[in-house]
Amino acid sequence: MSEQVYIDGAWRKPASGETIPVVCPSDGKVFAHIARGGAKDIDAAVQAARRAFEGPWGKTTALERGRLMMKVGEKITQHAEELAQIEARDTGKPLKQARADMVAAARYFEFYGAAADKVHGDVVPFLAGYTVLVKHEPRGVTGHIIPWNYPAQMFGRTLAPTLACGNTAVLKPAEEACLAALRITELAHEVGFPAGVINVVPGYGEEAGAALANHPGIDFIAFTGSPGVGVLIQKASAEHLRPCVLELGGKSPQIVFEDANLEAVLPVVTNAIVQNAGQTCSAGSRVLVQRSIYDRFIGMLVERFAKLRVGSHDMDLECGPLISAGQRDRVQGFVRAAKAEGIPILAEAKLAPGLPAGGYYAPPMLFGPVPSTNQLAREEVFGPVLSAIPFDDEADAIRIANGTPYGLAAGIWSIDGSRALRVANAMRCGQVFVNGYGAGGGIELPFGGIKKSGHGREKGLEALREFSVIKTIVINHG
Ligand code: NAP
Ligand code: MG
């Protein structure tokens, strides 16, 4: 199946007749192929989705939709180990991370499956003799373009809420990693999703992705990836006067005040940049430390970084390889520039002995102090590189934290509850954690950015609003 596209409830060869090799980042070797879908396949998928929307799917009750989705969640759970093995090999991530991802992927289908029949509207008080209904209706056919960093989770995150709302969908996964998403597509087929409700067309971004973004037959598009492609998606949406949701990454700060419980901060701040080798949109890639504890806390971080081990996905250590040679070059470019500018390297983790040759390994690194105006403190590296930045007081911390083009997430560490809340309120971003970070997938928590991190919200019940549209019905009954 993995070399085919899934359209109208069936697997078929892509129109190109071609495939794309799939490389394991742990050793750089080709181990599978996926279909090279393109404009013709996207067009067939959009048409199938439209037929399904106007046909049987449009007539299913929310309860039926929810039940089908719950079954997908169950299937993912039953196949969790198989899926985790696929995901780890495809992305290079340590197996324990891939296993956690499958729990989250299943949760998306469970959460939105259970929510499908709870999307209530309103009755609005109006003139005498009138009743006004406000309904949440499906948008129609939704397009989805997802990245390679969490293929299974992203599949659930973007598809589950749209299906719950009653839409039909066409999804273009990332060429660099999508095998687990394709396997979950098979599982969704097995539980009996009607033909055309879910369509999955792998392929290159410039081909299948661009064809989807520019297709006149979709009603909405949800995109997660780089700001550059986000601009293309928004332009295409503008051409067709349709809305989009964009999730474009960040430069999220962890703000550590002098009264924080440093023992509790240490593992969480470390994990926030090492998880998935830093290739997480909400990676905590800046650590802002109050000057009075800067040396002490940085000393603790240095010790911790020195103990981190980098290995292949099946060695299952703290950190795996990056997704591709291109991504490794990009990360090394940031590292070279920082070195050239004389920014001190405080710690560099070790690569485990006996790593397979040809893998895309990059050790977690800690730089500091990084001037808050430097690109290492402002741009998304998307690798395991942490920038330490000292600050003087609350106002200084807020200024530095908000001083990047991004605004996705932030972590605040302090036992002073009033201060934590003041700073949380001052953060220009979409999600703030106090004395914690990440929170295990956070399916229930509305998530998304401001500024260059994008717009719109996914996750939580908020996603149900993105994937539906309001209709007001005004009845004059006298
Ligand atoms: P990307 O190019 O934006 O890829 C994201 C998705 O968009 C993939 O499915 C990609 O397809 C597709 N795409 C690419 N060009 C397209 C186009 N012209 N029209 C429509 N879709 C298109 O991101 P990347 O190149 O993989 O990574 C580059 C940087 O983006 C990273 O270093 C990181 O900074 C950022 N990023 C952020 C996130 C996040 O979670 N926010 C995720 C990934 C990357 P193909 O990849 O199959 O070509
Ligand atoms: Mg790409």
Side-chain angles (χ1 to χ4, degrees):
M1 303 294 176
S2 83
E3 298 181 14
Q4 299 185 316
V5 295
Y6 181 71
I7 297 172
D8 209 7
W11 293 92
R12 55 162 102 156
K13 281 208 167 113
S16 70
E18 290 179 25
T19 59
I20 300 172
V22 178
V23 168
C24 173
S26 293
D27 58 14
K29 292 200 177 113
V30 174
F31 72 98
H33 287 80
I34 54 166
R36 181 174 175 177
K40 279 192 181 148
D41 307 297
I42 289 290
D43 187 48
V46 172
Q47 288 188 36
R50 181 63 59 189
R51 280 194 301 275
F53 180 69
E54 288 173 357
W57 188 246
K59 294 178 186 63
T60 45
T61 63
L63 172 64
E64 288 168 308
R65 291 200 298 272
R67 279 190 176 145
L68 270 176
M69 292 172 61
M70 298 290 274
K71 284 187 194 158
V72 177
E74 228 170 86
K75 279 270 187 187
I76 294 173
T77 304
Q78 284 162 4
H79 291 262
E81 185 56 26
E82 174 204 343
L83 286 164
Q85 296 282 346
I86 294 171
E87 187 86 319
R89 193 165 186 204
D90 201 7
T91 60
K93 65 179 70 189
L95 264 168
K96 51 177 154 311
Q97 173 68 49
R99 289 187 178 119
D101 287 1
M102 296 315 139
V103 175
R107 284 278 293 121
Y108 279 112
F109 284 94
E110 291 165 352
F111 180 85
Y112 290 108
D117 59 354
K118 295 163 194 77
V119 184
H120 294 178
D122 285 314
V123 178
V124 178
F126 195 51
L127 307 175
Y130 283 78
T131 295
V132 177
L133 311 178
V134 177
K135 290 180 66 196
H136 297 264
E137 296 197 338
R139 288 187 178 276
V141 177
T142 55
H144 306 258
I145 299 177
I146 61 174
W148 40 260
N149 50 353
Y150 293 87
Q153 278 209 54
M154 289 289 175
F155 184 91
R157 173 171 129 186
T158 194
L159 278 191
T162 203
L163 297 173
C165 289
N167 301 295
T168 57
V170 178
L171 179 134
K172 205 296 285 179
E175 146 256 324
E176 269 153 340
C178 67
L179 295 176
L182 295 178
R183 182 74 184 106
I184 299 173
T185 305
E186 289 178 353
L187 299 176
H189 180 84
E190 281 173 25
V191 308
F193 262 93
V197 175
I198 300 172
N199 303 274
V200 180
V201 180
Y204 292 117
E206 311 76 60
E207 297 178 357
L212 179 56
N214 289 287
H215 200 290
I218 60 170
D219 299 295
F220 184 83
I221 190 156
F223 171 79
T224 300
S226 60
V229 177
V231 169
L232 297 179
I233 303 294
Q234 185 152 347
K235 278 188 180 158
S237 301
E239 285 295 328
H240 296 281
L241 288 172
R242 65 183 169 224
C244 57
V245 51
L246 304 178
E247 201 269 89
L248 310 176
K251 191 73 192 176
S252 300
Q254 299 272 1
I255 309 172
V256 186
F257 285 98
E258 59 192 0
D259 62 350
N261 174 354
L262 298 185
E263 294 297 335
V265 181
L266 186 63
V268 181
V269 164
T270 308
N271 189 51
I273 187 63
V274 172
Q275 174 179 328
N276 222 43
Q279 303 166 122
T280 303
C281 44
S282 56
S285 51
R286 293 183 292 157
V287 60
L288 279 48
V289 187
Q290 195 153 19
R291 212 174 286 280
S292 52
I293 56 157
Y294 184 82
D295 288 342
R296 182 152 69 92
F297 185 61
I298 293 301
M300 291 165 71
L301 263 181
V302 166
E303 228 175 87
R304 185 103 187 172
F305 264 64
K307 287 192 195 129
L308 293 171
R309 298 158 306 161
V310 181
S312 58
H313 62 284
D314 47 0
M315 290 165 87
D316 204 13
L317 305 176
E318 290 82 30
C319 186
L322 298 173
I323 188 73
S324 63
Q327 190 64 21
R328 187 186 53 192
D329 291 348
R330 183 187 141 91
V331 172
Q332 284 175 347
F334 276 98
V335 168
R336 260 197 311 277
K339 281 183 184 169
E341 290 173 63
I343 299 174
I345 298 173
L346 301 174
E348 183 168 345
K350 296 271 175 297
L351 303 186
L355 286 182
Y360 310 126
Y361 299 97
M365 295 181 84
L366 174 64
F367 281 88
V370 181
S372 56
T373 49
N374 189 275
Q375 66 157 3
L376 197 61
R378 292 176 58 78
E379 296 302 325
E380 183 175 56
V381 176
F382 230 56
V385 180
L386 180 59
S387 296
I389 305 168
F391 69 84
D392 293 316
D393 55 17
E394 198 174 308
D396 200 28
I398 292 168
R399 183 185 58 77
I400 298 170
N402 287 338
T404 78
Y406 292 98
L408 191 61
I412 299 166
W413 298 87
S414 171
I415 57 165
D416 177 343
S418 303
R419 168 159 67 192
L421 190 53
R422 277 195 307 274
V423 178
N425 284 336
M427 286 298 99
R428 296 269 299 135
C429 66
Q431 202 171 60
V432 182
F433 291 88
V434 175
N435 293 327
Y437 198 74
I443 318 302
E444 306 85 347
L445 316 176
F447 178 74
I450 62 169
K451 302 198 283 186
K452 288 221 166 82
S453 292
H455 51 73
R457 290 294 175 266
E458 295 183 292
K459 300 188 169 184
L461 296 177
E462 222 34 63
L464 298 170
R465 283 189 251 281
E466 291 288 355
F467 288 109
S468 58
V469 64
I470 281 178
K471 179 185 282 170
T472 309
I473 302 179
V474 184
I475 308 156
N476 175 358
H477 42 69

